[in-house]
Structure formats: structure tokens, C-alpha cells
């Protein structure tokens, strides 16, 4: 009896409003059209328990401010649940998993952004995900102002509330962007896409990358 080959694990990273959600769904449609089983999920979140944690993490105003270490541990608590309940079972069945943010966001936001110790984050990463790494990480990169303007345009259109990260200052987001760029420069699984391009141009590049990942 032959078993399914493991599915591919692809993560989408970048700052606010760079187009992760838009392009992850485009990629899912593209893969489905090639008869590849695919799920789209997100972090923090992706399971009922992890979504409860997400609500606490993103809620803009708590009577008691959340300390950075609690924020870090909650990100990994949600990830542990998401991995065991959703990501690993899907991959082992041969389903491709497209994940909107993963541990690189923790390194960028809690490490570079909040200033938490990077080696402690690596220790938690190993504890929670062992040796699992994405097969490919698509980093959508744009100047902070571009992403902020797009996210603002979308929230005006949809009426969505501002979250606990969106109220941070520009300098925080510059450190986060620097974090992503540092990770991309040091890990070969990263592909950086210029997110200021038109969606057509970005998606032409995405199709090339997805085709390469399909190759046996
Ligand atoms: N976080 C963390 O701190 N640590 C962690 O470990 C993890 C997360 C996992 C969750 O955010 C927050 O959690 C996040 C980091 C933190 N906070 N921040 N900032 P999220 O992922 O749920 O939300 P987000 O990062 O703020 O994403 P977003 O605002 O949903 O943006 P997006 O998904 O990248 O963009 P979009 O919704 O696809 O596009 C935004 C708008 O721009 C939309 O109207 C599009 O139609 C438009 N758009 C997109 N691309 C283009 C192009 N190329 N041209 C023109 N218009 C475009």
C-alpha cells in the first residue's frame, strides 16, 4: 500500500495590510485548480481554542495591560494547539497547508518588535514545533505606510475595529519589518515579494513559486 506524500507547508508573512489574506486565497484557488488538496488557516488562531486565544491577544483594550512575555507564551500556546489539531494531520494526509503567519511573525513582532530575547524564542519554537519548518515562506514586503494605508482603507470599508497591534507606533513596525528582512536574508526557505506591485504582478510570481513547489 502506498501512502500519500506529505503535503507542503507554506507560510505567508509580512506587516499589516501587505496583502497576505488576499494572496493566500488566490494561491488556494490556484492550487485547487491544479487538483491539489489545500487548506487555508491562520495564526494566531486556526482552531476553536486557538481562536479564543487570538481574541485575547488582539483585543485592543484590556483593563490590565498584557505584558510582552504573556503575549509571547500565548502565541506559542495557540500554535501548539493549531499544529496538533490542524496543521500536522493535514500535512500527513497529503494536504497542502497555507498558513497566514507562523513563527517568523513571533520572531519579528515579539522578538524584534517587543525586544524579547531571540534565543528564548528559539527555545520555545523547538519545544512547540520540533524540527518542523515551512517548505516555503512567502514574505510580502512593503514600506510600512503602504500597508497601513491599505489596512486603513479596508477597515473603513468593512467597519472592523482596530486591534492591539494596530495601535503601535511607526518605530515598532519598522523594527518588525527589519526582523522579517533579517530572517529572509538568513533562511533559504524565504521568497521575498515586492508587495507594492499590482496584484496581477504579485500573483504571476506566486504562480511560478507554486509550480516549483509542485515539482517532485
Ligand atoms: N502576531 C504576532 O505578534 N505574533 C505572532 O506570532 C503572530 C501574529 C502569528 C494578527 O494579524 C496580528 O498578530 C498581527 C501580528 C500579530 N498584527 N499586526 N499588525 P493578522 O494577520 O490577522 O492581521 P494583519 O497582519 O494586520 O493583516 P491584515 O491587516 O489582515 O493584512 P493582510 O492580510 O496582509 O492584507 P489584505 O487584507 O490581503 O489586504 C489589505 C487591503 O489591501 C485589502 O483591501 C486588499 O484588497 C488591498 N491590497 C492587497 N494587496 C494589494 C496590492 N498589491 N495592491 C493594491 N491593493 C492591495
Amino acid at each position: 500500500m502506498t501512502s500519500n506524500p506529505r503535503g507542503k507547508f507554506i507560510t505567508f508573512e509580512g506587516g499589516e495590510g501587505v496583502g497576505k489574506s488576499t494572496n493566500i486565497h488566490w494561491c488556494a484557488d490556484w492550487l485547487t485548480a491544479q487538483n491539489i488538496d489545500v487548506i487555508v488557516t491562520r495564526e494566531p488562531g486556526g482552531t476553536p481554542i486557538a481562536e479564543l486565544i487570538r481574541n485575547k491577544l488582539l483585543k485592543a483594550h484590556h483593563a490590565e495591560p498584557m505584558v510582552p512575555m504573556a503575549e509571547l507564551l500565548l502565541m506559542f500556546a495557540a500554535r501548539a494547539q493549531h499544529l496538533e489539531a490542524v496543521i500536522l494531520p493535514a500535512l500527513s494526509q497529503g494536504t497542502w497547508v497555507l498558513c497566514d503567519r507562523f513563527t517568523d511573525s513571533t520572531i519579528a513582532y515579539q522578538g524584534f518588535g517587543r525586544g524579547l530575547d531571540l534565543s528564548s524564542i528559539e527555545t520555545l519554537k523547538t519545544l512547540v514545533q520540533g524540527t518542523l519548518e515551512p517548505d516555503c515562506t512567502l514574505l510580502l514586503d512593503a514600506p510600512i505606510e503602504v500597508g497601513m494605508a491599505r489596512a486603513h482603507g479596508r477597515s473603513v470599508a468593512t467597519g472592523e475595529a482596530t486591534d492591539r497591534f494596530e495601535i503601535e507606533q511607526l518605530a515598532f513596525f519598522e523594527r518588525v519589518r527589519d526582523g522579517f528582512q533579517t530572517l529572509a536574508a538568513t533562511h533559504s526557505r524565504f521568497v521575498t515579494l515586492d508587495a507594492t506591485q499590482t496584484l496581477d504582478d504579485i500573483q504571476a510570481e506566486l504562480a511560478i513559486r507554486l509550480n516549483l513547489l509542485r515539482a517532485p
Side-chain angles (χ1 to χ4, degrees):
M1 201 174 91
T2 54
S3 58
N4 279 338
R6 176 186 170 281
K8 302 283 184 196
F9 182 32
I10 306 176
T11 55
F12 291 70
E13 296 284 6
E16 183 199 10
V18 291
K20 297 177 300 300
S21 311
T22 305
N23 287 303
I24 206 169
H25 288 104
W26 184 88
C27 288
D29 290 345
W30 189 92
L31 289 166
T32 302
Q34 321 297 314
N35 291 319
I36 292 174
D37 285 338
V38 58
I39 59 166
V40 173
T41 188
R42 67 173 180 183
E43 290 212 346
T47 85
I49 289 175
E51 290 287 331
L52 285 177
I53 298 173
R54 178 189 176 91
N55 281 342
K56 297 294 173 206
L57 278 162
L58 266 56
K59 186 172 175 242
H61 299 291
H62 290 280
E64 173 193 9
M66 187 181 296
V67 299
M69 184 56 76
E71 180 180 282
L72 172 69
L73 294 171
L74 286 172
M75 290 293 177
F76 274 110
R79 183 161 302 132
Q81 189 69 28
H82 189 209
L83 273 167
E84 290 289 332
V86 175
I87 296 177
L88 295 175
L91 292 176
S92 68
Q93 285 165 19
T95 300
W96 288 37
V97 176
L98 307 186
C99 191
D100 192 338
R101 299 190 179 279
F102 194 60
T103 305
D104 298 313
S105 277
T106 314
I107 296 169
Y109 282 83
Q110 282 65 53
F112 283 74
R114 302 272 191 236
L116 292 173
D117 177 47
L118 293 175
S119 65
S120 303
I121 297 177
E122 282 298 321
T123 303
L124 289 167
K125 173 180 170 179
T126 305
L127 185 68
V128 169
Q129 69 196 66
T131 56
L132 178 81
E133 288 283 6
D135 294 290
C136 179
T137 298
L138 296 162
L139 173 62
L140 289 152
D141 181 63
I144 310 302
E145 296 79 0
V146 172
M148 276 182 161
R150 284 185 192 161
H152 180 70
R154 190 199 50 203
S155 50
V156 167
T158 61
E160 72 193 7
T162 305
D163 73 35
R164 212 169 52 78
F165 290 92
E166 289 165 354
I167 56 180
E168 285 295 336
Q169 303 299 308
L170 200 62
F172 173 82
F173 294 113
E174 293 289 2
R175 292 196 297 278
V176 169
R177 186 180 184 205
D178 178 41
F180 281 127
Q181 289 176 340
T182 302
L183 284 164
T186 49
H187 294 79
S188 58
R189 66 184 158 82
F190 269 81
V191 173
T192 303
L193 301 164
D194 174 0
T196 64
Q197 299 177 97
T198 64
L199 280 172
D200 281 350
D201 286 346
I202 292 168
Q203 289 162 1
E205 275 192 64
L206 287 171
I208 292 169
R209 293 293 162 181
L210 294 176
N211 243 328
L212 288 172
L213 285 161
R214 282 175 69 204

